Amino acid sequence: MLHPDYPIATERLLLRPATVADIDAMHAYKSRAEVCRYLPYAPMSRDEVAERVEGLWARTELTEVGQGLNLCVEEKASGRLLGDVVLFWRDAESRMGEIGYVFSPEAAGHGYATEAAAALLRLGFDGLSLHRVTARIDARNHASARVLDRLGMRREAVHLHDMWLENEWSDTVVYALLEDEWRAAGR
Ligand SMILES: CC(C)(COP(=O)(O)OP(=O)(O)OC[C@H]1O[C@@H](n2cnc3c(N)ncnc32)[C@H](O)[C@@H]1OP(=O)(O)O)[C@@H](O)C(=O)NCCC(=O)NCCS
């Protein structure tokens, strides 16, 4: 079970559940083809974003395995929405979780994704007592690979041709981090 107190603050960011006030800002980046290029979903319409903000992404806690906690990431100083992140609770007995993140191209190149994902790892390891956290990325997503490298996550596996994306096969790279490794790194 995970019941975070919001907002979750990092040095430069605030993480919190989405509200209807975020729909336009989320749609602005989730509707862009270059943002969704390596994501498991196509660019979204405003209605699709609104439906999720009012449904799946409205969750504020994790109470059962299989759930995902989606959080908006805003810049502390300006209140600007930069992107969103997700922590999935994959397995209770083995204490497995998975992280993901999507940021606006306007927010790129400042380390915001890395900072927000580090907060997600903290939520997973400290809040949810996870043993192992994974991230799965398209092998061509080099910017995302650099985020995971900066987080200290280990590149563990490459699954060849396990995704058919529109008109081509793509490979998935699996990254992972164990709780002991995370604590040893003093993060
Ligand atoms: C993946 C994604 C989040 C990476 O964004 P990003 O801006 O490269 O990542 P960060 O916000 O962590 O910024 C890191 C960059 O900022 C630079 N940077 C500048 N100031 C920094 C600071 N204070 N701290 C850390 N990094 C800083 C880093 O050097 C790094 O640049 P580099 O990768 O060229 O070396 C972004 O490309 C994205 O949202 N893509 C679309 C969605 C997607 O593919 N998501 C992943 C699906 S698994």
Side-chain angles (χ1 to χ4, degrees), residues 9-133:
T10 67
E11 187 187 341
R12 298 175 294 172
L13 308 172
L14 296 175
L15 279 63
R16 51 154 183 85
T19 72
V20 290
D22 298 308
I23 292 172
D24 286 331
M26 288 182 104
H27 174 242
Y29 60 89
K30 285 186 182 286
S31 59
R32 290 169 69 163
E34 77 267 30
V35 170
C36 299
R37 179 160 180 222
Y38 301 125
L39 296 179
Y41 52 80
M44 289 184 184
S45 68
R46 191 185 183 283
D47 284 351
E48 287 172 319
V49 173
E51 188 187 320
R52 284 172 177 75
V53 165
E54 288 162 10
L56 212 54
W57 298 343
R59 182 179 301 291
T60 59
E61 55 185 19
L62 291 176
T63 55
E64 284 175 30
V65 164
Q67 293 173 339
L69 183 65
N70 286 77
L71 299 174
C72 280
V73 180
E74 66 175 56
E75 191 178 35
K76 222 187 241 179
S78 66
R80 179 172 62 123
L81 184 72
L82 305 172
D84 57 281
V85 294
V86 60
L87 173 67
F88 293 103
W89 190 9
R90 294 294 191 205
D91 189 283
E93 198 176 352
S94 310
R95 295 185 284 128
M96 304 287 167
E98 183 174 341
I99 60 169
Y101 38 78
V102 183
F103 279 72
S104 164
E106 277 73 46
H110 297 280
Y112 292 139
T114 304
E115 188 170 323
L120 271 194
L121 290 176
R122 197 172 312 119
L123 264 189
F125 289 127
D126 272 348
L128 199 51
S129 302
L130 293 177
H131 173 64
R132 174 180 158 93
V133 174

Side-chain angles (χ1 to χ4, degrees), residues 101 137-151 153 155 173 175:
Y101 38 78
I137 66 170
D138 187 302
R140 297 164 300 179
N141 196 346
H142 302 298
S144 189
R146 288 195 296 275
V147 169
L148 299 171
D149 287 339
R150 277 189 293 272
L151 290 170
M153 295 187 74
R155 184 182 162 104
V173 183
Y175 282 77

